Amino acid sequence: MLTTISLAPLIGSEIQADRKTLLDGSAAPEIRRLLQERGVLVFRKVNFNDEEQLTFTRTLGTPDEQGGYGRLFKITLDKRENPGAEILKGTFFWHIDGTTSDVPALASLLSARRLSPTGGQTEWANTYAAYDALSEADKQAIERLKVVHDQEAAQRMVYPEPTLAQVLSWRKYPQKTHPLVWHHQNGRKSLVVGSTTFYVEGMSLRDSCELLTRLREWATQRQFVYQHEWSVGDLVIWDNTGTMHRALMYAADSGRLMHRTGLAGEESLA
Ligand code: OGA
Ligand code: MN
C-alpha cells in the first residue's frame, strides 16, 4: 500500500513511496489504478536520473518510442537544448498529447530538472469529471459529434498571423477526426477538447467555435483543475486519456528544463 494525499477533490494525488518500491515495479499495479482514478500523480523530489525515470516508466507499461531523443524528450523552449523547441510553445494552451494519432499516449511522465524563476507551473484538468458534470441535455447534444484535430489549430494560437511556410510546416502532422466524447473501455466517458480542435464536423465554423470554446471553458473550471508548483526533482505522471494540460507562461531563456517519458496508448480514441 502506498501513502497517498489528495491534492484536490476531483483531481491529483501525491504519492509517498521510497525510490526502491517505485523502481522495482512492485507498486506498479496500484499506481496504474490510482492514475486512472486521480488523473495526476505527484512524486515530490524523487530525484530520478534519466535511467531511473526510464526504468520507472517501463514498470508501468510500454514506453512510448515516438518522443524523439531516444525515449526521453527534453521539454524546453531553449533551441540549443532542443532544436524542435519552437513547437513546444503550443504547450501554453490546454491540450491532450497525441491527438493527431489514432491512439494517443496513455500517460506522460514529466520531471523537473531546472525551473523558471517565474511561471512554468503545469495545470491539468480532469476531462472525465468535466464530462460527468455536464447537463443531460448537453451530454445528449454532443454524444455523437466528431471533431477534426489539427496541429495547425494549436499553432495558430501561438502564431495568429503565420507565414505560409509556417502553415505548410504544421501540415506534416496528420489531421485526425475523433469523437468529442471518448467512450473508454473502462465504461467511463471523457471530453476531448483543447487546442488541437479545429472544427466540429458538419457544423458551421461559428457554431463549432462557440461549442468548442464553451466546452474547453467548462472543463477547465477550478474544481476540475490541479496546478503543480514544481520543485527540482519532482516527477508527475498524468493520465493523458482522462485529463488535458498546459504550462503557464515562462520565458524561452528562463532555463526551464523538464525531462519527459511516456507510456504508449492502449486504446484508440473512440
Ligand atoms: C508536455 C507538456 C507541459 C509543461 O510535455 O506534453 O505539455 O509544463 N508539458 O512543460
Ligand atoms: Mn503536452
Side-chain angles (χ1 to χ4, degrees), residues 3-235:
T3 304
T4 63
I5 300 164
S6 173
L7 298 169
L10 293 176
I11 182 169
S13 285
E14 176 181 343
I15 295 191
Q16 295 177 341
D18 58 82
R19 294 161 51 88
K20 189 183 154 298
T21 307
L22 298 178
L23 293 172
D24 70 16
S26 53
E30 197 180 347
I31 292 173
R32 291 257 325 208
R33 181 181 59 74
L34 287 166
L35 186 61
Q36 216 184 77
E37 221 173 87
R38 304 293 304 153
V40 177
L41 302 178
V42 173
F43 302 81
R44 285 191 211 278
K45 296 196 178 163
V46 64
N47 283 305
F48 283 159
N49 63 28
D50 290 353
E51 210 37 62
E52 290 167 332
Q53 183 168 339
L54 281 164
T55 300
F56 180 52
T57 304
R58 277 188 217 106
T59 68
L60 299 171
T62 311
D64 191 346
E65 307 283 341
Q66 293 170 40
Y69 295 93
R71 290 144 297 167
L72 197 128
F73 191 58
K74 286 187 180 181
I75 304 295
T76 170
L77 296 179
D78 186 340
K79 290 187 181 123
R80 288 165 307 184
E81 217 128 22
N82 174 3
E86 195 58 34
I87 199 134
L88 292 174
K89 288 185 184 158
T91 59
F92 291 138
F93 304 96
W94 287 106
H95 66 282
I96 296 171
D97 291 338
T99 50
T100 49
S101 71
D102 289 320
V103 186
L106 171 70
S108 302
L109 297 84
L110 205 59
S111 64
R113 303 307 167 102
R114 289 200 313 263
L115 303 180
S116 169
T118 57
Q121 297 87 347
T122 307
E123 295 189 324
W124 291 268
N126 188 330
T127 52
Y128 281 123
Y131 174 83
D132 290 341
L134 286 171
S135 69
E136 283 310 313
D138 268 340
K139 285 180 182 169
Q140 274 185 23
I142 66 172
E143 173 68 15
R144 286 183 209 297
L145 296 181
K146 288 198 182 330
V147 179
V148 175
H149 290 254
D150 197 316
Q151 185 63 36
E152 178 176 344
Q155 292 299 317
R156 273 187 185 275
M157 303 183 81
V158 185
Y159 298 101
E161 197 173 74
T163 63
L164 178 60
Q166 280 178 311
V167 171
L168 296 177
S169 79
W170 300 333
R171 299 212 168 149
K172 55 182 191 281
Y173 298 88
Q175 219 177 41
K176 286 280 172 192
T177 303
H178 297 302
L180 181 49
V181 179
W182 189 339
H183 295 72
H184 296 258
Q185 282 163 10
N186 62 17
R188 295 164 72 199
K189 294 180 189 178
S190 69
L191 281 176
V192 181
V193 286
S195 63
T196 58
T197 58
F198 214 1
Y199 58 88
V200 180
E201 266 188 2
M203 214 180 246
S204 75
L205 213 43
R206 288 190 102 194
D207 290 350
S208 163
C209 183
E210 183 180 321
L211 178 63
L212 293 171
T213 303
R214 179 161 73 84
L215 292 175
R216 194 246 307 129
E217 185 176 57
W218 171 264
T220 56
Q221 294 176 92
R222 277 344 289 182
Q223 68 268 30
F224 304 128
V225 172
Y226 168 66
Q227 181 189 101
H228 189 64
E229 188 73 57
W230 292 95
S231 296
V232 169
D234 286 357
L235 177 94

